[in-house]
Amino acid sequence: MDERVQTTLFGRAVPSAAASLAGCTTRPLPITDQSVIATSGLDVHLALKSKLGAVVDGAVLRLTDQELAAADAYEVDDYVRRRVLLSSGESAWAYLDAKPLRPAARIVIVGDSIAYGRCDPHGGWAARLTATHIAGNEADHRVFNLAIPGSTLLDVAEQTPALLPPRRPDTIIVAAGINDSAISTATAQAHRDMPAHVADSLASLADTALSHNARLVVAGPTWIDESRTGDYEGLRFTQARALALREFLKTWCAENHIDYLDMWEPLRDRTEMLTDGLHPTPEGHQVLYQHIDISGC
């Protein structure tokens, strides 16, 4: 909102209007980029963090595409541009913390059996994340694991909207798991159009998240040991299709300014951490949790 910064970046003071963002407060963010410090005159900027009942007052800047690109270039790597829903009901771009779980307070997890924690009596990576997150702030932090074994993204997109209002999430982690890559041994033809149904489901989930002013985080599939999965309850899992899903998710998220957590690498070639070639052991879930904690928090 500093006209000096606007003039430096855009060559003019841009049109703006007062606005507010509910469910957020701010925290200080130290800046080390000397060009940004020179432009703003400050070595500490602000970052948004979620807080139920809080409101941040600011302004909406009306930018051209070229000016938006200049704003992207100005912002340091600590920020990423994401859609938010203003108190007016209008959506706008905002620069949020580049690590999507760091500013989160109320997290909803949706997905399949791996997100649910099957084969781990301790509840999988989601339970470990829950314990750490709530311990960080018992008054304000919540995690709701709503994952259901066997779910596909289509199932999640259809079921999630009704589950969110009482939980008031600011962050939604969707575990876009291995089920969306599976080939049904009975109806393989129906699964050939994977990108279309995945894209439609992701777009629906993105709209649902934005309607709650929640940040969508897509967690991709985990590594599988194809030699051990076999025919799993009428489904056939292959590394080729799982990798195709992974690449599709990464591309879709980048194109749509959605956060992506790559879950493939932590378990790659570590077959001893999979109970059946598909579901992680308790040790495997611990590795996934550590990866999420480093990548997202």
Side-chain angles (χ1 to χ4, degrees):
M1 297 190 296
D2 188 326
E3 287 193 7
R4 180 181 59 177
V5 174
Q6 294 177 20
T7 302
T8 300
L9 295 181
F10 314 131
R12 63 173 184 141
V14 298
S16 63
S20 64
L21 183 61
C24 289
T25 184
T26 60
R27 66 174 179 85
L29 177 68
I31 301 295
T32 58
D33 188 307
Q34 293 303 311
S35 64
V36 174
I37 294 172
T39 299
S40 66
L42 300 170
D43 61 3
V44 176
H45 289 194
L46 294 178
L48 293 168
K49 67 176 183 178
S50 299
K51 184 175 177 60
L52 191 66
V55 177
V56 172
D57 292 320
V60 173
L61 309 183
R62 304 292 177 179
L63 305 180
T64 65
D65 290 343
Q66 184 177 7
E67 289 167 341
L68 184 59
D72 285 345
Y74 167 73
E75 296 295 348
V76 296
D77 291 342
D78 297 277
Y79 295 106
V80 290
R81 175 158 56 90
R82 299 290 183 257
R83 278 281 175 193
V84 297
L85 192 66
L86 303 174
S87 301
S88 65
E90 178 185 28
S91 69
W93 293 115
Y95 290 98
L96 307 181
D97 195 314
K99 292 195 171 185
L101 303 187
R102 184 161 53 188
R106 302 176 65 88
I107 301 172
V108 162
I109 300 170
V110 291
D112 59 9
S113 57
I114 296 177
Y116 172 80
R118 177 185 281 179
C119 301
D120 180 7
H122 304 295
W125 63 258
R128 291 163 171 80
L129 177 64
T130 298
T132 301
H133 186 65
I134 292 178
N137 184 339
E138 292 184 353
D140 296 332
H141 286 186
R142 299 289 184 272
V143 180
F144 305 94
N145 188 357
L146 308 181
I148 300 173
S151 292
T152 64
L153 277 172
L154 180 60
D155 298 327
V156 172
E158 291 177 345
Q159 296 165 3
T160 299
L163 303 174
L164 298 183
R167 292 164 174 97
R168 297 177 290 180
D170 53 66
T171 305
I172 300 171
I173 302 176
V174 53
I178 206 70
N179 290 326
D180 289 280
S181 73
I183 301 173
S184 168
T185 55
T187 58
Q189 182 68 31
H191 289 262
R192 289 184 178 177
D193 196 24
M194 178 177 67
H197 84 257
V198 169
D200 289 346
S201 298
L202 289 172
S204 176
L205 284 164
D207 288 342
T208 296
L210 183 61
S211 71
H212 289 270
N213 209 15
R215 186 170 180 175
L216 184 64
V217 180
V218 177
T222 56
W223 182 78
I224 65 170
D225 182 356
E226 184 178 343
S227 68
R228 295 175 58 204
T229 56
D231 185 343
Y232 186 84
E233 297 182 0
L235 298 176
R236 179 67 184 175
F237 297 94
T238 70
Q239 283 196 3
R241 284 182 64 85
L243 283 168
L245 173 63
R246 177 194 183 207
E247 290 305 311
F248 181 85
L249 293 171
K250 289 168 65 176
T251 300
W252 187 91
C253 287
E255 291 176 348
N256 290 275
H257 295 272
I258 299 293
D259 296 285
Y260 179 74
L261 286 178
D262 190 359
M263 303 284 277
W264 186 267
E265 292 298 330
L267 298 181
R268 180 194 284 270
D269 297 325
R270 303 175 75 173
T271 188
E272 75 281 0
M273 291 196 171
L274 301 176
T275 60
D276 52 8
L278 185 66
H279 294 95
T281 63
E283 294 76 17
H285 275 289
Q286 176 65 20
V287 169
L288 290 177
Y289 157 69
Q290 290 171 338
H291 174 70
I292 291 171
D293 190 48
I294 293 171
S295 301
C297 298

